[in-house]
Amino acid sequence: MFSDPGYSNGYCRPQEGGAAPEHGALRPPHRGRGRRRGRRGRSHDPADSPASGGAPRVADSEQGVEQKPPPCTDFDMAYFHSYAHLGIHEEMIKNARRGGRHYVPDRVRTETYRTAIMRHQSSIAGKVVVDVGCGTGILSIFCAQAGAKRVYAVDASDIAVQANEVVKANNLSDTVIVLHGRVEDVEIDEEVDVIISEWMGYLLLYESMLGSVITARDRWLKPGGLILPSNATLYMAPVTHSDRYSDSIDFWRNVYGIDMSAMLPLAKQCAFEEPCIETISGENVLTWPHVVKHVDCYTVTLGELESVTTKYKFKSMMRAPLHGFAFWFDVEFNGPATSPTSNQVSSSFIESSNNQSTDVSQRKKRANPSEALVLSTAPEDPPTHWQQTMVYFYDPIDLEQDQLIDGSLTLTQSKENRRFMNIHLEYT
């Protein structure tokens, strides 16, 4: 077996002493009502005008609080501004979007959320809902259609202005209140029964929008309230992808009969120095997946998001070149009664080196769809706009069947910009 922890996969440079490669930061953009002042959140679709004949939908008055919210940085402003562009929201709603080299169906995301809302209609009808990072307001409208008494649609991006117009056009202004601002900075003068949010980023935690959901939960959610989705799991697995390597690298060995192999080092750097968002298939995956992190939205804390570390051990199922690692995630839409109640579940998954047990648990989870509604971004499932996050090596490694691959992975929020993520990957 290979035993050189200095192998570098495009994102990290090997450090002295055989330390693992650092895989550069993933860079973002992504997507929160009440009055200004609040907690953390990704927001994008807010309200701009007062509701007619009532209290303002958005108020600017500051209210005294025990703890000051984190300041809105230039990075935050750039992030919010990126979500003001309609193209991002179009990608997340439309039947297809341009993703890498493929058109990726995106109906899966929206229809799963609508199904989850209707499945939990008894918990939503007549209740108060907050939509964190509401974007165009589509999830807020689904909740209103499910009979919600009131929906606070919160978003810090200027797309909130259009969301408010969408709400008006659908005659839902009496139900859906759009709040233009960060979850940290808006005020809602009542407790809420339900929090819904499409907070997931690439690699699940990229863009840090989960922090906004945590803030909304701690500020407003009633005891026993519902959070959709309720929990999430991030996976990783080694992959082989010869076509991708050939397209990006081997192409330069012979260009119109000209030897351009001198371009190979630059080609590898340009193609693989950062994580890639691509769609692969189950045939590219060499082993059972490993659980990197399980997130219980009812109990997760902001501190848990700062750094995630796991050790892994894989056994290759076939003889093939190893080109890197793929990451994907699942989210489930359960009520608080069926959500994990402690981190013991997470730890038992993460600490297990038997990846077959991980797969068994996955198959058991999906065996009865009535038990849990799952939105999956796994390679074997219908593609979504998240696709998979790929970490490629500069050069492939030849694997034999049953060969072991072990190492560790650390994901940390960037200190310069918490919406970026640093990937530190070690492997042997």
Side-chain angles (χ1 to χ4, degrees):
M1 63 178 284
F2 292 92
S3 58
D4 181 3
Y7 273 115
S8 171
N9 43 352
Y11 313 178
C12 15
R13 297 191 183 102
Q15 299 181 354
E16 297 200 20
E22 283 282 346
H23 296 281
L26 272 171
R27 333 266 168 189
H30 243 122
R31 1 326 139 185
R33 158 196 135 103
R35 277 170 284 151
R36 306 287 304 277
R37 169 52 209 100
R39 290 199 182 160
R40 179 169 295 194
R42 260 176 169 154
S43 330
H44 282 188
D45 285 9
D48 61 333
S49 59
S52 56
R57 294 292 168 99
V58 183
D60 293 327
S61 58
E62 293 282 337
Q63 299 230 342
V65 289
E66 296 178 3
Q67 191 174 9
K68 242 181 147 183
C72 187
T73 66
D74 290 341
F75 291 117
D76 291 326
M77 293 305 297
Y79 168 79
F80 298 142
H81 180 71
S82 72
Y83 272 84
H85 194 286
L86 189 60
I88 288 181
H89 303 280
E90 181 179 358
E91 289 176 358
M92 293 187 290
I93 296 174
K94 256 190 170 182
N95 293 346
R97 98 185 251 266
R98 186 69 181 174
R101 296 169 176 77
H102 309 283
Y103 276 95
V104 181
D106 204 17
R107 180 176 291 178
V108 175
R109 163 213 182 246
T110 305
E111 290 191 348
T112 303
Y113 268 84
R114 181 167 60 177
T115 300
I117 289 167
M118 299 313 297
R119 180 171 293 188
H120 292 279
Q121 186 172 9
S122 60
S123 299
I124 294 174
K127 301 297 178 64
V128 179
V129 179
V130 60
D131 179 0
V132 177
C134 64
T136 58
I138 189 169
L139 300 186
S140 296
I141 292 175
F142 287 161
C143 289
Q145 292 173 341
K149 173 184 176 182
R150 191 157 38 256
V151 182
Y152 295 105
V154 186
D155 204 303
S157 164
D158 288 343
I159 195 69
V161 176
Q162 279 71 42
N164 199 46
E165 295 303 315
V166 172
V167 169
K168 290 179 182 178
N170 287 273
N171 300 314
L172 291 172
S173 296
D174 291 338
T175 302
V176 180
I177 300 171
V178 182
L179 298 175
H180 190 175
R182 298 190 306 161
V183 166
E184 295 88 344
D185 299 327
V186 302
E187 286 291 344
I188 296 176
D189 296 329
E190 60 181 328
E191 291 185 315
V192 305
D193 303 281
V194 181
I195 293 175
I196 190 166
S197 179
E198 195 272 87
W199 54 264
M200 300 83 72
Y202 299 127
L203 211 70
L204 184 64
L205 301 176
Y206 173 66
E207 294 185 344
S208 304
M209 190 173 165
L210 178 56
S212 302
V213 175
I214 295 172
T215 296
R217 178 198 70 193
D218 294 346
R219 294 190 72 196
W220 302 312
L221 188 65
K222 292 180 180 177
L226 175 66
I227 303 177
L228 297 176
S230 56
N231 50 78
T233 307
L234 174 63
Y235 304 90
M236 69 179 292
V239 295
T240 185
H241 202 183
S242 296
D243 290 345
R244 171 71 160 87
Y245 193 88
S246 177
D247 289 346
S248 301
I249 307 303
D250 291 338
F251 162 80
W252 294 102
R253 299 184 190 278
N254 186 326
V255 182
Y256 289 94
I258 301 171
D259 181 359
M260 288 196 173
S261 55
M263 302 293 292
L264 290 180
L266 179 60
K268 293 175 183 179
Q269 180 179 354
C270 292
F272 303 142
E273 68 180 350
E274 291 184 346
C276 305
I277 308 303
E278 300 175 357
T279 297
I280 61 172
S281 71
E283 295 178 353
N284 297 111
V285 181
L286 293 171
T287 72
W288 299 116
H290 171 79
V291 173
V292 175
K293 176 67 176 176
H294 181 85
V295 174
D296 179 354
C297 294
Y298 293 96
T299 61
V300 64
T301 64
L302 293 174
E304 287 183 53
L305 307 183
E306 294 176 358
S307 181
V308 173
T309 297
T310 184
K311 293 183 178 180
Y312 60 81
K313 181 177 289 186
F314 297 107
K315 180 184 285 189
S316 179
M317 295 179 178
M318 65 189 79
R319 182 180 183 181
L322 169 64
H323 289 98
F325 291 86
F327 297 82
W328 65 87
F329 62 86
D330 292 341
V331 295
E332 293 187 16
F333 296 83
N334 293 321
T338 55
S339 173
T341 55
S342 73
N343 289 331
Q344 293 176 352
V345 174
S346 172
S347 299
S348 65
F349 278 117
I350 293 175
E351 292 172 3
S352 173
S353 61
N354 184 348
N355 292 289
Q356 292 189 8
S357 67
T358 299
D359 178 73
V360 169
S361 69
Q362 281 300 98
R363 284 182 290 156
K364 181 179 179 182
K365 178 179 69 177
R366 297 186 191 181
N368 186 354
S370 65
E371 293 180 359
L373 179 63
V374 178
L375 170 57
S376 173
T377 65
E380 68 270 18
D381 287 315
T384 68
H385 78 273
W386 288 284
Q387 305 181 80
Q388 289 83 44
T389 301
M390 308 293 296
V391 172
Y392 286 107
F393 303 153
Y394 279 171
D395 294 295
I397 302 169
D398 291 329
L399 282 185
E400 299 296 330
Q401 185 172 346
D402 296 329
Q403 189 164 357
L404 295 180
I405 310 163
D406 59 12
S408 64
L409 171 77
T410 300
L411 308 175
T412 55
Q413 289 181 351
S414 169
K415 293 181 179 179
E416 293 77 20
N417 181 357
R418 62 187 176 85
R419 298 189 186 279
F420 288 177
M421 177 175 288
N422 294 314
I423 302 172
H424 184 88
L425 177 65
E426 296 184 6
Y427 56 97
T428 299

